[in-house]
Structures are given as structure tokens and as C-alpha cells.
Amino acid sequence: MSPSNRPSSSPSEDDGGGGDDTPKQYDTPNVNEAGDNAKGIMFTITSKLKEVSITQLGIIGKDAKESDLWVYYQEGYYTAFDALNKDAWDEVFNGKVMLDPDEIVNIKLDEEITIPAGEKTVSVYVVSKKGFLYKKSSKDEFAKYAPSDDFDVSVGTTTKKEFQQPEKLAEFAGRFVYET
């Protein structure tokens, strides 16, 4: 894998020069450091002053293979409810995606993930049968590691299988396409 083929390691935000309806893009600052792989990752996103609606999520595949992929979300911190209970989550994507280990692949969500304005938090859970890349974290769970102008992404945990076996502290490495 050639990290130079991946997007820049610096966070990128693009407001497109338009109004509030123009989608923005944010790449987490760790995309070039993503070298560990997992089948699932749970993490949290906390809004700042404005409501945030995530329309696409970008991930880096473990391999260049087609994979079944699911994205779930829930309001609040995943430790506040039974995170390993599938019924506790809302599914916002379920489909096959062609993954790529050398670049971020954007997934258009079937339903937006909306985070209310004013320091509100949602949990996101991404699952791929073939696996995807993330960065192992030495920070505490829920420590912020990726601050954008509109939200903060916090350290979460990987899972060995869908809704089973939490494993390691992890930083999601990828992209958010969103509107405020």
C-alpha cells in the first residue's frame, strides 16, 4: 500500500464557496496513518454550533474487494445503551461496496445522519464483512481526535464481528460529506 496515493494527511474542509446548502467535506487527519484493520468500528461525533447532516461516509478498505457494508447510528454515546444490540441502532446504509486500500471510497447513505446543534452527540457504527482500515488509538475512549469547524470525532472501539466482541480503541479514518 502506498500512503502517498491516499488523500492528504491534513484535515480538509471544503465549503464549496456556496451557502449553507452546499455539501462540505471533512477528511480525518489520520487517513495516511490508517494501517490496522477491523470488521467494525463504533465512534461518536459531537456537533458544535450548527446542526450537521451527514450524507456520505468515506472509508478505506482493507483490500480491493467488494464487501457487504452496513452503517448504523444512534443518538447519544454508545455506552449509554446496549451497543451490541442491533435493535438499539438505526440502519442508514446496507449494500455492497467496492473497497480500495489506496483511497477513500465514499458511501452515499440511504438516510442522513443528523446531529442536532449545540454539543449533541451521536454514535456511528460501520461494519464491513471484508474489513476496512483505521488507526489504533493510545487516547482514551471518547477523547476527541478529529476536530472540524462543525463537529468533533472521538475515539471509539473496533468489533471483531457485527455486534460482537469489542476489541481495541480506535480512530475512524475516513471522510464525512455533510451539510449544515
Side-chain angles (χ1 to χ4, degrees):
M1 167 178 3
S2 173
S4 63
N5 289 342
R6 289 199 194 145
S8 164
S9 64
S10 62
S12 65
E13 291 183 79
D14 177 14
D15 67 8
D20 282 347
D21 292 338
T22 303
K24 299 179 183 183
Q25 178 175 298
Y26 175 73
D27 291 354
T28 60
N30 59 3
V31 291
N32 285 338
E33 301 169 52
D36 294 286
N37 69 78
K39 303 283 186 187
I41 184 170
M42 291 179 193
F43 60 96
T44 57
I45 306 170
T46 303
S47 67
K48 292 186 177 175
L49 297 175
K50 298 178 183 176
E51 179 179 277
V52 175
S53 295
I54 299 169
T55 58
Q56 296 181 50
L57 197 62
I59 65 169
I60 305 165
K62 175 185 165 204
D63 297 306
K65 292 183 179 174
E66 187 174 72
S67 179
D68 292 318
L69 190 106
W70 297 267
V71 179
Y72 303 93
Y73 96 105
Q74 179 58 268
E75 290 184 14
Y77 290 88
Y78 57 83
T79 52
F81 57 91
D82 184 359
L84 297 179
N85 176 0
K86 187 174 184 174
D87 293 335
W89 295 85
D90 294 323
E91 185 179 275
V92 293
F93 182 83
N94 176 349
K96 291 195 179 292
V97 174
M98 188 63 190
L99 300 175
D100 190 326
D102 295 322
E103 66 182 38
I104 297 172
V105 175
N106 283 356
I107 299 143
K108 184 172 179 355
L109 301 176
D110 297 328
E111 268 180 63
E112 294 178 355
I113 297 173
T114 300
I115 311 165
E119 304 278 322
K120 301 297 182 196
T121 299
V122 298
S123 295
V124 177
Y125 185 31
V126 181
V127 179
S128 168
K129 276 201 173 173
K130 301 293 183 188
F132 54 87
L133 299 180
Y134 71 94
K135 181 180 182 245
K136 227 184 276 183
S137 184
S138 58
K139 298 178 181 175
D140 292 334
E141 193 168 19
F142 304 120
K144 293 177 173 105
Y145 72 91
S148 80
D149 288 344
D150 299 306
F151 56 86
D152 293 316
V153 184
S154 298
V155 172
T157 186
T158 61
T159 59
K160 192 169 181 112
K161 296 181 179 180
E162 183 182 21
F163 295 103
Q164 295 178 31
Q165 298 172 290
E167 287 193 300
K168 300 175 182 135
L169 291 177
E171 296 177 8
F172 173 79
R175 174 177 298 142
F176 300 90
V177 177
Y178 67 99
E179 297 171 358
T180 55

